[in-house]
Amino acid sequence: MTRPARLGRPTGPRPGFSRDDVVDAALGIGIADFTLTAVAKHLGVAVSGLYRTISSREDLLAACLERIAAKVDVPAAGRRWPDAVRAHAEAIWVMLDRYPGLAGVIMGVPWAHQLFAAPVAQACQVLVDGGLEVEEAGVVLDFVGDTVISTHAQIEVMRSPVAPSGPGGPTGLEETSRFAAAADRPALPEALTPNESWLERGGLDRKIEIIIRGVAAGLAPSATDTGGKPASGGDVSGRR
């Protein structure tokens, strides 16, 4: 899938603001929340004036995602593949924390992930250089990306007030805990029981270690070094 085609060409005289200014305004409002009306108001121009630098909201969203993708940290070359996987997962998490709502955008806009092809390709090469085959590296990055993004999206829900209560109302975690406490519901393992970690990283670090162990189990002995983390049993949470 390729980047969405622009719906038209910017027209009219050169404006007093740049395309970068429009992207700055959109990101300042929020990657998931901006509207062209809000962006225009932020810049002090009419909505029609925006079309001198962008062709549509879709075009602006793509520009925002390109800006974000350009700032994603790529695992350093020379790392063993397990360490590169951990670094990649952390880089995605930091990116999502920096731009609230981004996880939902990536999950909800079919082409959004394509704008991150460059950093993912670089991370893939680091994993290959670190001992994985190309196809294995691709699957690992896909699995890790899905895991981090979906975990972050769920945590954003847990942190936010439940609609339509609005600010000051119960959060998603509080409502989840209320339902979980119902007497007629069966007990679940600790990892599936609502707790304060669901407002931070949840079980993300443990999930990443399980992915690494699973991949290592299918590799030749020379490629199974998990980088000092427990390969079986013990604490695989990876928490510092």
Side-chain angles (χ1 to χ4, degrees):
M1 187 179 298
T2 58
R3 171 179 170 162
R6 293 189 179 184
L7 302 183
R9 290 180 176 275
T11 60
R14 183 180 297 276
F17 55 89
S18 67
R19 184 176 173 89
D20 281 342
D21 292 330
V22 179
V23 172
D24 288 341
L27 291 177
I29 294 167
I31 185 68
D33 303 319
F34 77 84
T35 64
L36 295 187
T37 298
V39 170
K41 182 178 180 180
H42 182 87
L43 293 172
V45 301
V47 172
S48 59
L50 297 179
Y51 292 107
R52 298 173 184 174
T53 60
I54 63 167
S55 61
S56 64
R57 187 186 187 281
E58 183 180 74
D59 181 32
L60 178 52
L61 177 59
C64 289
L65 294 175
E66 287 179 334
R67 168 82 66 81
I68 293 170
K71 297 181 178 180
V72 175
D73 289 331
V74 177
R79 289 190 171 195
R80 290 173 296 186
W81 70 264
D83 292 331
V85 168
R86 296 181 186 106
H88 182 66
E90 183 64 20
I92 298 174
W93 187 269
V94 169
M95 174 188 71
L96 297 174
D97 260 354
R98 186 177 298 148
Y99 299 98
L102 177 58
V105 171
I106 294 174
M107 294 172 67
V109 178
W111 48 264
H113 65 285
Q114 291 296 317
L115 279 300
F116 295 88
V120 171
Q122 294 176 56
C124 185
Q125 187 59 55
V126 174
L127 264 62
V128 171
D129 293 342
L132 294 185
E133 297 293 332
V134 173
E135 287 303 313
E136 291 169 339
V139 171
V140 169
L141 291 177
D142 184 41
F143 196 2
V144 168
D146 286 349
T147 299
V148 177
I149 292 168
S150 61
T151 298
H152 201 284
Q154 187 63 28
I155 284 177
E156 288 188 41
V157 171
M158 292 296 157
R159 292 171 176 170
S160 303
V162 176
S165 61
T171 64
L173 178 61
E174 290 169 341
E175 284 293 272
T176 302
S177 298
R178 180 172 68 84
F179 275 86
D184 60 342
R185 299 187 189 280
L188 293 173
E190 182 180 355
L192 300 177
T193 302
N195 60 78
E196 290 298 313
S197 74
W198 287 18
L199 298 177
E200 300 300 331
R201 295 172 70 96
L204 176 65
D205 299 304
R206 182 177 292 273
K207 293 173 186 177
I208 298 303
E209 293 305 320
I210 289 173
I211 292 172
I212 290 172
R213 291 199 332 238
V215 175
L219 298 177
S222 61
T224 57
D225 183 357
T226 58
K229 302 290 184 178
S232 62
D235 180 10
V236 295
S237 67
R239 296 189 183 279
R240 296 174 177 82

